[in-house]
Amino acid sequence: MDISGVAAALHSRLPELGERIAGRIRSDVDAYADESLIPFDSLRRSCTANADLILNHLHAGVTADPSPARETGRVRAEQGVPLADTLHAYRVGFELLWTEIVAESRTHPEVSADQLVAKSAEIWALFGLYAEAVAAAYRETAAELTSRGQARRSALVEALFTGVIADRTTLWEAARELGLPERGPYAVVAAAAGAPGEEPLAGVEAGLRQAQLPSAWRLLPDQQIGLIALPTAAAEDTCLGVLRRTRARVGVSPSFDSLRDTPQALRFARLALAGLRGDGPGVARFDDDPLAMVVAAAPAEAAHLVDVVLRPVVDLPVVERARLLRTLEHWFAAAGSATAAARSLFVHPNTVRYRLRRVEELTARSLSDPQAVAHIATALLAIRTPATGTASGTGTGTGTGNRHAPSRAERTGGLTGGLTD
């Protein structure tokens, strides 16, 4: 004897049984209590379909079909129900169905306790089969949804960076979908990739999120670019700290308030990256060195400036050229003080003054003339900038590019210092 009669009796009450299972799941599993997330009718239909298959298998020997379970997994993934809750709901449903089978078997004298024990193993084997189908379909659907969401997110970020989205309402909608505030301040960053497809800022989005700084990112063949919200006064410093921990080469735009300005901010971030000293990791802000950014923005013009202003120095033998350019660099960093420059160069102040007079003779420009000093400072900056230094043929011979990166205040002080202390 088997329990086909028990299964047939329960199958005749299938609609009522499906509703009771749905009610139990709704009361026992928190994620299923939200009607707006999982409508009760949808839950009842799913429970009824799964109970129908199990009872038909027990009653008529119908081969177990995991299709309803797969459909449940797909729907729950689309609804955003956690997989753990989905599997918990399946267990609750199976437990209730087994309880009903045991209760019904008491009205069937032909069903022995041994037969029930034997069938319990079969029932729970079915649960394992169905739970596996639920989980597989859930993961497949979740992966597809994630991929689709990432593609749309990437397209929205691309639209912001290229300026395709200009309408105010559409900008707000894009901001909401990307998890960004509708108004700034924001900043754009650009990081250099070591190889095509490499992510130089791996993990940065999670780090910023932990610091409560929303961001959106796009990976390009040679760069990773991002738009970061800076909602508080301290947000920029926090952001820079997260970026520095990546050990990448990063350029950062000035802050801005409207998403319409994202394309221009991206240009500024790329200029900051282009003007970053040396070839190691670092973070360069556009606002830290605006003159360097201007030089980086016009490499051909900057190279021509080097030719016009410093060509006689550049044409010197390598050792003398490096000595004069390095002395100029330290003098600017010392705010025009020959004594301070001498200390950093480990030479006598008169040596510094002699070298500066040599620069004046070669260039026919006086370092006591603010305009001439501005020309020489800008040309020196162009030599230190890789894109322009190479163009002018001066980028590698001096050794000046990475030794010292004077601050804006240091360079400004140097513009009026003349040759005296």
Side-chain angles (χ1 to χ4, degrees):
M1 296 290 291
D2 57 27
I3 62 169
S4 59
V6 173
L10 289 174
H11 196 274
S12 67
R13 307 196 300 272
L14 186 61
E16 174 198 349
L17 184 59
E19 184 157 355
R20 288 181 57 208
I21 294 173
R24 175 68 61 82
I25 290 173
R26 171 147 288 187
S27 66
D28 288 3
V29 186
D30 290 342
Y32 284 70
D34 187 349
E35 175 70 20
S36 63
L37 179 63
I38 305 176
F40 188 76
D41 285 345
S42 170
L43 178 58
R44 183 179 61 237
R45 286 194 299 272
S46 174
C47 293
T48 302
N50 282 284
D52 180 40
L53 279 173
I54 295 169
L55 293 173
N56 273 327
H57 173 75
L58 296 175
H59 168 57
V62 175
T63 302
D65 179 10
S67 296
R70 289 187 58 83
E71 177 64 12
T72 297
R74 183 189 67 79
V75 171
R76 298 296 175 257
E78 290 177 344
Q79 291 170 330
V81 180
L83 177 57
D85 287 346
T86 302
L87 293 175
H88 183 200
Y90 243 78
R91 175 173 288 279
V92 169
F94 263 81
E95 287 174 348
L96 178 58
L97 181 59
W98 175 245
T99 299
E100 291 296 318
I101 289 173
V102 171
E104 179 65 27
S105 68
R106 295 194 182 102
T107 67
H108 293 257
E110 71 277 11
V111 178
S112 67
D114 289 342
Q115 288 172 326
L116 275 179
V117 170
K119 280 297 178 183
S120 69
E122 185 177 345
I123 288 288
W124 289 107
L126 283 175
F127 168 76
L129 174 68
Y130 281 28
E132 184 179 336
V134 167
Y138 185 102
R139 292 189 180 103
E140 289 170 7
T141 304
E144 181 182 344
L145 291 172
T146 299
S147 177
R148 194 185 308 161
Q150 288 174 340
R152 174 162 175 77
R153 187 177 176 85
S154 181
L156 284 173
V157 174
E158 176 74 8
L160 288 176
F161 280 129
T162 57
V164 171
I165 302 177
D167 175 75
R168 182 179 180 183
T169 302
T170 308
L171 282 170
W172 285 355
E173 291 172 351
R176 282 195 294 269
E177 190 159 344
L178 292 170
L180 298 170
E182 296 174 0
R183 291 289 299 173
Y186 312 98
V188 168
V189 304
E198 179 182 284
E199 192 174 356
L201 298 176
V204 70
E205 186 170 6
L208 291 169
R209 188 186 308 115
Q210 187 174 11
Q212 299 183 339
L213 300 180
S215 61
W217 297 86
R218 182 91 164 86
L219 184 62
L220 305 176
D222 60 338
Q223 289 180 349
Q224 185 177 3
I225 56 178
L227 174 63
I228 304 171
L230 305 173
T232 66
E236 186 171 11
D237 287 342
T238 302
C239 173
L240 292 174
V242 173
L243 292 173
R244 289 189 181 103
R245 286 196 292 273
T246 65
R247 306 294 295 165
R249 291 179 62 81
V250 187
V252 183
S253 77
S255 62
F256 59 101
D257 290 324
S258 172
L259 288 173
R260 286 193 186 91
D261 297 329
T262 304
Q264 180 65 37
L266 175 59
R267 181 169 180 270
F268 287 148
R270 283 173 165 162
L271 288 174
L273 176 60
L276 185 62
R277 304 285 186 265
D279 55 5
V283 177
R285 295 170 67 248
F286 186 96
D287 286 348
D288 286 342
D289 199 345
L291 183 57
M293 300 306 104
V294 172
V295 169
E301 291 78 2
H304 182 66
L305 176 67
V306 173
D307 282 337
V308 170
V309 176
L310 287 179
R311 175 53 58 189
V313 176
V314 169
D315 286 342
L316 291 171
V318 171
V319 173
E320 186 177 4
R321 176 181 67 197
R323 182 186 301 123
L324 293 183
L325 291 176
R326 186 163 179 251
T327 299
L328 274 175
E329 195 168 77
H330 280 253
W331 182 72
F332 279 114
S337 168
T339 301
R343 281 197 298 269
S344 64
L345 287 166
F346 302 102
V347 298
H348 193 279
N350 285 338
T351 302
V352 172
R353 294 186 183 98
Y354 168 78
R355 292 175 183 175
L356 294 176
R357 280 193 291 270
R358 177 80 170 127
V359 171
E360 289 182 314
E361 292 168 358
L362 288 166
T363 61
R365 286 174 166 81
S366 171
L367 289 173
S368 297
D369 177 1
Q371 187 175 45
V373 171
H375 293 164
I376 291 173
T378 306
L380 185 63
L381 187 59
I383 289 176
R384 289 202 306 263
T385 302
T388 58
T390 301
S392 63
T394 63
T396 59
T398 67
T400 61
N402 303 335
R403 293 180 181 273
H404 185 79
S407 70
R408 176 171 54 189
E410 289 172 333
R411 277 193 304 277
T412 304
L415 294 180
T416 58
L419 285 174
T420 60
D421 291 326

